[in-house]
Amino acid sequence: MDSQAEDYTESMYNHKEVFYRYPLRLVHGIPLMEPIAQQWDPIENFQARPDDLLISTYPKAGTTWMQEIVDLILARGDVEKARRAPTYIRIPFLEICSPPPVPSGVSYLVNAPSPRVIKTHLPFQLVPKSFWENNCKVIYVARNAKDNVVSYFFFDQMNVTQPEPGPWEGYIKKFMEGKVAWGSWYDHVRRYWDEKEKHKILYVFYEDMKEDLAQEVRRVMNFLEVDLPEEIVQKIVHHTSFQVMKDNPMANYSSVPDCIFDKAKGKFMRKGEVGDWKNYFTVAQKEAFDADYKLKMKGTTLHFRDELSSGLRP
Ligand code: A3P
């Protein structure tokens, strides 16, 4: 790890007092954690470089999985190189902010050498303009709404810097109303879908990654213009499987202190499945969710699969 990365990690451990369940504040109409709202200017004015690669997702859609895939592709399958530091150091989180003195994502990124790979959860309209002005490549990962909300619910229990999720019934309602951090899932996935032809956006589905990871790895390689032999592709597929990533301390977030991710309340690498929502939605909740979904997703050509046995995406 470079010394700046070490400082970053150390400051999280040394300033435990600044972490608590931050309230959400609206930034251009989008609810974001209070420290992000308070330090919004440097995020909005962030200077992208033409060779930056942005990995964008709605929270819990498979960000970390894509980060590991991209890092391994760029390392040409060198697993040791990909273990040089935890995910959040290798691929910094653009908008993440804690109260000072913990450094922000931006403060870490401005000094990072090119080419940078950057993570964001910002909806399209809040992504700093310089990314579009510089025609940067963006990989967007989307996950079906029901598995996404289940994953977010459990994450909000263990991530003790996010608002208290409360009971499941109320949480689904908050998700449907977009009253969770980073706002409406529906608007997020739709807007990137609508913008993908106008910008260099590769749109990837979590469900496709689960179904045929090698194929999605090849799509990402193609987008990044990296050519690797099939045996390296298979190596990347192996090292980015749920089973291997969950035991990799550089990819499973186990290095984040308990004052941020309370490991007694859950694991970051929870289940990694498609269709897990069936274990949590009641029949009535599913019906209400599906009816509301139809309204919110009306008119889009974007379709998700919420189980893998249902065949190809329509
Ligand atoms: P679950 O909570 O359903 O298990 P993000 O990185 O965007 O926060 O997304 C986290 C979700 O992606 C979690 O979902 C996590 O388990 C899942 N995930 C992470 N790595 C994965 C992998 N290699 N394969 C499948 N799912 C993975």
Side-chain angles (χ1 to χ4, degrees), residues 57-67 119 121 143 147-148 150-152 154-155 206 209-210 213 239-246 251 253 267-273 276:
T57 58
Y58 188 80
K60 311 318 291 174
T63 329
T64 316
W65 194 5
M66 183 54 77
Q67 286 174 282
K119 159 187 165 178
H121 289 320
R143 184 179 195 183
D147 282 325
N148 206 136
V150 168
S151 181
Y152 211 172
F154 286 104
F155 181 66
Y206 180 97
M209 291 163 73
K210 280 298 289 185
L213 186 52
H239 284 281
T240 57
S241 68
F242 184 82
Q243 291 309 319
V244 174
M245 271 182 64
K246 97 176 170 12
Y253 278 99
K267 280 198 169 128
F268 182 88
M269 297 292 290
R270 193 184 60 91
K271 276 197 190 166
E273 285 172 6
D276 183 43

